[in-house]
Amino acid sequence: MQTTLKKLSDTKLELVIAGDEALLASVKDRVLAELAKDVNLAGFRKGHAPKALIEKNVDQATLQTRFLDAAVNELYVKAITDEKVRPVQSPEVAIVKFVPFTTLEIKATVEAVGDIQLGDYKKVKVAKQIVKVTKDDIQSVLDDLLRRDAEKKDVSRAAKDGDEIVIDFTGTDPKTKKPFDGGTATDYPLVIGSNTFIPGFEPELIGLKKDAKKDFDITFPKDYGNKDLAGKKVNFAITVKAVREVVAPKLDDAFAAKVGPFKTVAELKADIEKQLAAEKDNQAQRELENEVLAQVAEKAKAAIPNSLIEEEMDRMEAEEKRNLVYRGQTWQEHLDAEGKTEKEHREGQREQATARVKTGLVLGEVAEAEDITVTEKELDERIDGLKQQYASDKQMQAELAKPENRRDIASRILTEKTIERLVGYATK
């Protein structure tokens, strides 16, 4: 077999592939063997007649069509394997030359991942954030535990810091006068001073009594999680339904025993410190990995097919729409809140989508360069662990048994091992 590879662009290739007689003869034999299963010839068991007789007795158009399909597929697959081409879409194939069963030359045009040039990823250096649990961190958890177990008494006086106030509220856009998503609630309990609401909201409640009404403007923080509201000025109208004095229990050994398997407050504090340290360490590890990946990807150069970026944008948009369903907001309402058209919104995702795709491609290249693989034992152990985790979920058990999911899990393990290797280099 002969293959000529021509670059039409950084990500578009043309392969001219010519099959040799031995390969084409092998393909023809396989096709005849398949067709023989449906041929009845006197004196021979079905499927056991000589090839020459079978060829004479099958429909020639069918034989030729089946042969071309099988031969083209085999030539293409062998060519992209030999040339290490990584296609991202099905090829456009044209028959250049064909003499039945002896000569076949095809031209395949395909979009593929282009050259990836890794930078010196072993020189990336990132220090892991030092995890420290402070007394204030521990006290914050203790305060939360005490609040959960606190006794709440209705009072007729004005609300003060530390009280729980029950309110109805509606948040509206001052310009459109329309309520915004997630900005309306009824009988909402809020402890003043808990800092669980938007900064500036809770102080507005101090001094209010039951049945009081008030409206005020608040500006959401610029780094607020909901991009639709980040940095935006909104108006809140509230009605006070109740004011309750919060009487927290005493922090003593009896309380410690009530909230968990602890004999003393000291044991409770030690457990809180341990849990907080683990959470902070996990967060620090994720931040470390993300920073390492960002720097490794930045050092690399990659020719990325646009179709891969578009597919990633599709996934990002689908995920965003699912989240909107949970929040009770329509896609159009979301676009209106951003003040963007659907096309503008999509284009706004391109940079992030490109970064994600590039990081994935670079990880694959590093895995190959480092000869990182996933053994069958590693894969079986991971799947066995998942099966035990979902032992009572028949649907999940069935999903885990599918070959495509097995491949997906293997891919995840490979990614984990590659990231671990990169982090190892970065933290030496």
Side-chain angles (χ1 to χ4, degrees), residues 67-300:
F67 171 82
L68 277 173
D69 287 344
V72 166
N73 183 67
E74 184 159 333
L75 289 176
Y76 174 71
V77 171
K78 192 172 189 310
I80 63 172
T81 302
D82 292 346
E83 300 293 332
K84 296 183 178 179
V85 173
R86 290 174 286 183
V88 296
Q89 290 181 332
S90 298
E92 294 179 10
V93 178
I95 306 297
V96 177
K97 188 185 296 182
F98 178 53
V99 177
F101 316 126
T102 59
T103 303
L104 177 62
E105 184 177 309
I106 65 172
K107 180 170 70 176
T109 306
V110 63
E111 189 176 28
V113 175
D115 293 335
I116 299 175
Q117 299 174 9
L118 295 176
D120 195 347
Y121 57 86
K122 293 182 181 180
K123 288 187 177 180
V124 168
K125 297 298 174 187
V126 180
K128 185 176 180 179
Q129 182 182 354
I130 297 173
V131 173
K132 185 178 180 181
V133 178
T134 67
K135 289 183 179 179
D136 288 343
D137 292 332
I138 296 171
Q139 189 60 50
S140 178
V141 176
L142 287 171
D143 290 344
D144 184 57
L145 290 172
L146 290 168
R147 275 196 298 269
R148 291 181 191 180
D149 201 51
E151 182 182 356
K152 297 170 184 176
K153 299 177 181 178
D154 285 342
V155 292
S156 57
R157 60 170 172 77
K160 62 181 182 179
D161 195 38
D163 286 341
E164 180 183 84
I165 188 167
V166 181
I167 56 174
D168 293 346
F169 66 82
T170 300
T172 56
D173 185 320
K175 293 181 180 179
T176 65
K177 306 300 181 183
K178 293 181 179 180
F180 57 85
D181 179 51
T184 302
T186 302
D187 294 329
Y188 187 88
L190 178 62
V191 175
I192 302 174
S194 63
N195 298 317
T196 55
F197 219 71
I198 311 154
F201 187 95
E202 292 173 26
E204 294 284 351
L205 307 179
I206 294 175
L208 300 180
K209 293 184 177 182
K210 182 182 178 181
D211 298 326
K213 297 179 184 293
K214 185 178 182 179
D215 67 271
F216 50 89
D217 292 336
I218 290 286
T219 300
F220 278 83
K222 292 182 179 179
D223 60 352
Y224 190 66
N226 185 342
K227 294 179 182 178
D228 298 342
L229 298 173
K232 194 171 186 178
K233 184 178 180 181
V234 300
N235 177 265
F236 279 101
I238 67 166
T239 300
V240 180
K241 308 290 280 295
V243 177
R244 295 169 182 160
E245 184 177 2
V246 179
V247 183
K250 185 179 179 182
L251 179 59
D252 54 18
D253 293 345
F255 177 77
K258 184 178 180 181
V259 297
F262 313 109
K263 294 180 180 179
T264 65
V265 172
E267 287 183 7
L268 172 59
K269 287 183 177 180
D271 185 73
I272 292 171
E273 183 175 13
K274 181 181 177 182
Q275 296 296 330
L276 287 176
E279 290 173 10
K280 288 192 172 189
D281 186 67
N282 287 336
Q283 179 62 29
Q285 183 65 26
R286 287 194 296 271
E287 291 174 358
L288 170 66
E289 292 173 356
N290 289 338
E291 181 60 26
V292 170
L293 289 179
Q295 290 195 31
V296 170
E298 187 177 357
K299 284 178 174 288

